[in-house]
Amino acid sequence: MTLYDDTLTLLKELVRNACVNDLTPDSGQEVRNADTLERFFAGTPGVEISRLEPRSGRTSIIVTVPGSDPDAEPLTLLGHTDVVPVDAPKWTKDPFAAEISDGRIWGRGTVDMLFITAAQAAVTRLIAREGGLRGTLTFVGVADEEARGGLGAKWLSEEHPEAFSWRNTLSESGGSHIPAKDGSDAVIVTVGEKGAAQRRLHVHGDAGHGSIPFDRDSAIVKIGEVARRIAAVDLNVAKDDVWQGFVRAFRFDPATEQSLLDGTDPSAYGSFGALARYAHAVSHLTIAQTVVRAGQAINVLPSHAHLELDIRTLPGQTNDYVDDVLRTALGDLADEVEIEHLISEEATVSSTDSGLYRVLEKVLGDFFPDATVVPTISSGGSDLRFGRRLGGVGYGFAVHARERTVAEALGQLHSHDEALYLEDLELTVRGYEAVVREFLG
């Protein structure tokens, strides 16, 4: 069997194991995929295999191929093995059958991110069978990424930081293409991700009987005004090199490009087409109002209401900065609003001035000689942030065919009828093999 065949066979089994993470502690049961991966590596000479789990069934597997030179740079391939739930009636395919048709493999996790996980594992086994390379190669099949890593990469980085090297790490995603206006090609590498600064805003009012509301201080009216003011906040556009490089890769006309770089005309985001929401997200602090609660009985005026905000920060935007933005938006209501911090994690980004990034540029250049390699950040999160916090660099890497745009790749994430083109699986396998050999050889 070829390396591609090995990868496809493994990918099918990973999908069929249905390690669905619904954010509860005993879901996921990634032990099934850990068992599959251990069988995949069984009998491979020269590998060291370990398994760690903070809770029964929430298993991460670590496979190490020692290098011949202990002073050489190491490389870790970090693939998560859990997937998000499905709304089965909305699927036209069995989400866990790994059916192949129309040049694609269908199923939950095929894109996010089991195709990369399978490619990483297959390349690691190939290198081990050849006796290894100069630098140490580690593959990690990690649990619980879809629930922010509390039982996976976060736990590993905090409780077992020595289990493998975080110095140079590759994970999801990247490798899709920017459809530049002049017809030229650009391919992305994900170098960072936004942070989280979730907030719950509390207000209080007068309790009382619903039949006598006159002259009451209404918590519901107040929380409504809080929501209105938050929605109207004016947020500054990013000024960093990553955002500016992303905009310039589209080859917009000079006026549109300048509007996007200056943030002077929000309507200019329409120029991104299907990527407008993503482009806005990675160039701004975003505040999404997602939950509002008040009251219990229809005949009782509630004395308390709260509004929950899913806030995503750009690199450099601190908790204090977020709270200042909220208080400024609230104006004269600020003293009446209690700001509660929920999940807060600073944004992380890796420099493009690293040996690993230069290898990614070279490999992508070999695949797409006329393309510009463009660093970008993710609007969501990935396990790479834990390695960055430990001082390493981490990049999202895959290889997609020229016609696969960033918008199309993003559109497959957590979608109904999630599917991966088999051509992209083959390209990604080849890409990972090339990167591993170039970086560790």
Side-chain angles (χ1 to χ4, degrees), residues 193-196 313-317 345-349 389:
E193 59 200 66
K194 297 184 76 178
T313 57
L314 293 170
Q317 294 176 335
E345 295 184 295
E346 289 191 9
T348 64
V349 64
R389 290 175 189 163

Side-chain angles (χ1 to χ4, degrees), residues 4 54 66 101 115 189 253 272 354 358 365 374 387 401 428:
Y4 166 76
S101 64
F115 88 101
V189 173
D253 64 84
F272 288 106
S354 74
R358 286 187 284 274
V374 178
T428 296

Side-chain angles (χ1 to χ4, degrees), residues 286-354:
T286 56
I287 305 175
Q289 305 188 48
T290 53
V291 177
V292 62
R293 289 197 173 96
Q296 296 181 1
I298 196 170
N299 63 341
V300 177
L301 298 172
S303 60
H304 170 257
H306 75 250
L307 172 67
E308 294 182 2
L309 308 175
D310 183 10
I311 301 175
R312 304 300 175 107
T313 57
L314 293 170
Q317 294 176 335
T318 64
N319 274 322
D320 288 343
Y321 172 81
V322 171
D323 290 344
D324 286 345
V325 168
L326 295 176
R327 291 191 185 97
T328 299
L330 293 170
D332 60 2
L333 270 179
D335 290 341
E336 298 183 56
V337 179
E338 173 193 343
I339 301 177
E340 178 187 358
H341 288 205
L342 303 177
I343 293 175
S344 293
E345 295 184 295
E346 289 191 9
T348 64
V349 64
S350 293
S351 170
T352 58
D353 184 16
S354 74

Side-chain angles (χ1 to χ4, degrees), residues 126-142:
L126 173 67
I127 296 302
R129 286 174 168 175
E130 294 178 355
L133 294 167
R134 181 166 172 263
T136 294
L137 174 64
T138 304
F139 163 74
V140 186
V142 68

